[in-house]
């Protein structure tokens, strides 16, 4: 009886090379360390010939959408510009595999494709943090989380990058035990393996080297009101300090005013929506709390040195 598990990866053009490597290498190393053929893998693209990743490398594949072999798991792996890469053929292929009973997963920005296919309504999912803003706008019915991966839902999702290695190590451990997963991680010189509950980005306190609870609450309040900004004075009142105290805290920890930091947060969200979606500049301006497209464009150009129209659709 052949106990080898077959993993198939659908490679969508401009897929993430780091996520691809972090998906396949743990499987290869598991075979090497165990001395057994625990896993085999094959690649799929729309034309059945090759797929190009975002760094320009080209990977030869084994199958097209029309001749995907039976597998134990099938992952779709995408990267930048995913909203432009979701074809009808791809969605039909994934739906066919779902009916076939194949266990499905999505890596990096692949959750966007699964959401388009209607797989993720009402369930938790992970996607690379850069896509969070556009994803939440387009798919409010999905329970998006900031975890590095989600493995306890029907459809597995991982946020890309090294989080893909975390997911694969999790699957290896579940199938073959903790010792093998640790041995694979050791071979990868990967000593910071995360479980599914780990968040993708470090906390505000860690990122800014601060432990002040008022700062953390103020920034969280700003993050929650990017589409309808409120005054720093009101934020200060809500968290129980004076506006002057809030000014001093932002000056001490971030070397800027609360107002400036708030605007930068809104502009960063606007940038994510510009490069990741096809929404109009007017829609994006309103979604990020700017009173008009003209005002938004002026502030955006002053901050990034380029107009929103030139930034649109270009992930830098």
């Amino acid at each position: 009886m052949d106990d080898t598990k077959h993993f198939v990866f659908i490679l969508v053009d401009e897929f993430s090379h780091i996520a691809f490597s972090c998906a396949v290498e743990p499987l290869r190393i598991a075979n090497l360390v165990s001395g057994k053929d625990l896993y085999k893998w094959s690649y799929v693209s729309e034309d059945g010939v090759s797929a190009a990743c975002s760094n320009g490398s080209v990977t030869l594949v084994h199958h097209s959408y029309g001749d995907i072999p039976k597998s134990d798991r099938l992952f779709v792996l995408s990267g930048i510009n995913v909203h432009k890469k979701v074809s009808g053929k791809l969605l039909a292929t994934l739906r066919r595999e779902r009916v076939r009973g194949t266990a499905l997963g999505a890596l990096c920005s692949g959750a966007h494709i699964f959401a388009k296919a209607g797989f993720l309504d009402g369930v938790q999912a992970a996607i690379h943090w850069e896509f969070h803003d556009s994803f939440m706008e387009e798919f409010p019915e999905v329970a998006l989380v900031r975890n590095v991966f989600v493995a306890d839902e029907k459809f597995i999702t991982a946020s890309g990058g090294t989080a893909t290695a975390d997911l694969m190590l999790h699957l290896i451990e579940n199938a073959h035990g903790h010792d093998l997963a640790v041995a694979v991680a050791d071979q990868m010189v990967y000593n910071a393996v995360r479980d599914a509950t780990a968040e993708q980005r470090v906390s505000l306190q860690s990122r800014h080297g601060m432990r002040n609870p008022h700062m953390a609450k103020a920034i969280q309040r700003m993050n929650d009101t990017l589409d309808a900004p409120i005054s720093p004075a009101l934020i200060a009142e809500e968290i129980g300090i004076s506006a002057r105290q809030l000014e001093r805290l932002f000056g001490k920890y971030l070397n800027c005013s609360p107002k400036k930091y708030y605007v930068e947060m809104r502009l960063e969200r606007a940038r994510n929506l510009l490069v990741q979606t096809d929404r109009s500049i007017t829609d994006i301006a309103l979604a990020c709390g700017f009173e008009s497209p003209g005002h938004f464009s002026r502030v955006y150009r002053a901050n990034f040195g380029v107009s929103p129209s030139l930034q649109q659709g270009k992930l830098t």
Side-chain angles (χ1 to χ4, degrees):
M1 180 178 174
D2 184 7
D3 290 329
T4 302
K5 299 299 182 185
H6 186 193
F7 283 17
V8 170
F9 297 91
I10 294 180
L11 305 179
V12 180
D13 273 341
E14 294 191 276
F15 66 92
S16 163
H17 199 274
I18 186 172
F20 173 60
S21 297
C22 286
V24 176
E25 282 300 285
L27 306 179
R28 179 189 69 80
I29 295 170
N31 289 351
L32 177 68
V33 171
S34 68
K36 302 175 183 178
D37 291 330
L38 301 178
Y39 299 98
K40 63 180 180 180
W41 49 91
S42 54
Y43 312 138
V44 174
S45 71
E46 183 167 355
D47 65 8
V49 177
S50 63
C53 67
S54 56
N55 67 14
S57 300
V58 175
T59 298
L60 300 179
V61 304
H62 307 91
H63 306 283
S64 69
Y65 291 172
D67 66 341
I68 296 176
K70 190 177 187 309
S71 64
D72 296 285
R73 289 191 182 275
L74 183 146
F75 291 96
V76 61
L77 172 56
S78 52
I80 61 174
N81 296 318
V82 63
H83 60 289
K84 298 179 179 178
K85 304 297 181 181
V86 186
S87 68
K89 287 183 179 179
L90 176 55
L91 295 179
T93 298
L94 292 171
R95 289 170 180 145
R96 184 186 72 228
E97 289 297 317
R98 181 186 186 182
V99 171
R100 194 180 189 183
T102 305
L104 299 176
L107 309 175
C108 194
S109 63
H112 179 100
I113 298 170
F114 273 18
K116 276 284 190 184
F119 293 172
L120 301 180
D121 291 1
V123 302
Q124 289 192 337
I127 196 170
H128 191 282
W129 62 265
E130 276 205 325
F131 297 93
H132 272 226
D133 290 329
S134 58
F135 190 96
M136 289 187 293
E137 289 282 332
E138 187 167 355
F139 307 110
E141 64 278 7
V142 180
L144 189 65
V145 295
R146 294 192 177 274
N147 297 21
V148 289
F149 65 86
V150 173
D152 57 357
E153 295 279 9
K154 182 177 180 180
F155 300 100
I156 291 176
T157 50
S159 58
T162 56
T164 309
D166 296 315
L167 171 62
M168 292 300 165
L169 291 168
H170 171 83
L171 296 177
I172 291 168
E173 179 174 0
N174 281 356
H176 302 290
H178 179 71
D179 289 346
L180 179 60
V182 169
V184 172
D186 285 345
Q187 286 289 322
M188 295 168 64
V189 198
Y190 190 38
N191 58 4
V193 182
R194 298 164 292 183
D195 63 24
T197 59
E199 290 196 1
Q200 294 180 49
R201 303 184 77 180
V202 295
S203 67
L204 291 169
Q205 291 93 332
S206 298
R207 187 156 66 247
H208 299 302
M210 62 192 181
R211 293 289 181 268
N212 186 284
H214 293 310
M215 281 293 292
K217 289 177 182 177
I219 292 174
Q220 185 60 56
R221 190 71 181 104
M222 291 176 180
N223 191 63
D224 292 341
T225 55
L226 295 178
D227 58 339
I230 57 180
S231 71
L234 180 55
I235 291 174
E237 181 181 342
E238 288 182 356
I239 65 176
I241 62 175
S242 69
R244 191 175 184 83
Q245 284 177 295
L246 189 65
E247 289 277 349
R248 284 200 298 266
L249 287 172
F250 269 78
K252 176 181 178 181
Y253 289 109
L254 300 177
N255 197 33
C256 70
S257 69
K259 182 179 179 180
K260 183 175 186 296
Y261 187 79
Y262 205 176
V263 170
E264 288 175 351
M265 289 179 72
R266 291 157 55 206
L267 287 171
E268 186 61 32
R269 181 172 193 246
R271 179 183 177 277
N272 287 341
L273 294 175
L274 281 167
V275 301
Q276 296 166 14
T277 74
D278 295 320
R279 294 178 63 178
S280 70
I281 290 174
T282 298
D283 282 347
I284 292 172
L286 295 175
C288 297
F290 291 94
E291 59 190 27
S292 69
H295 177 233
F296 166 59
S297 294
R298 289 191 296 275
V299 176
Y300 193 94
R301 181 189 289 273
N303 190 79
F304 293 116
V306 63
S307 69
S309 59
L310 291 178
Q311 188 89 79
Q312 204 160 28
K314 296 180 180 179
L315 190 63
T316 57

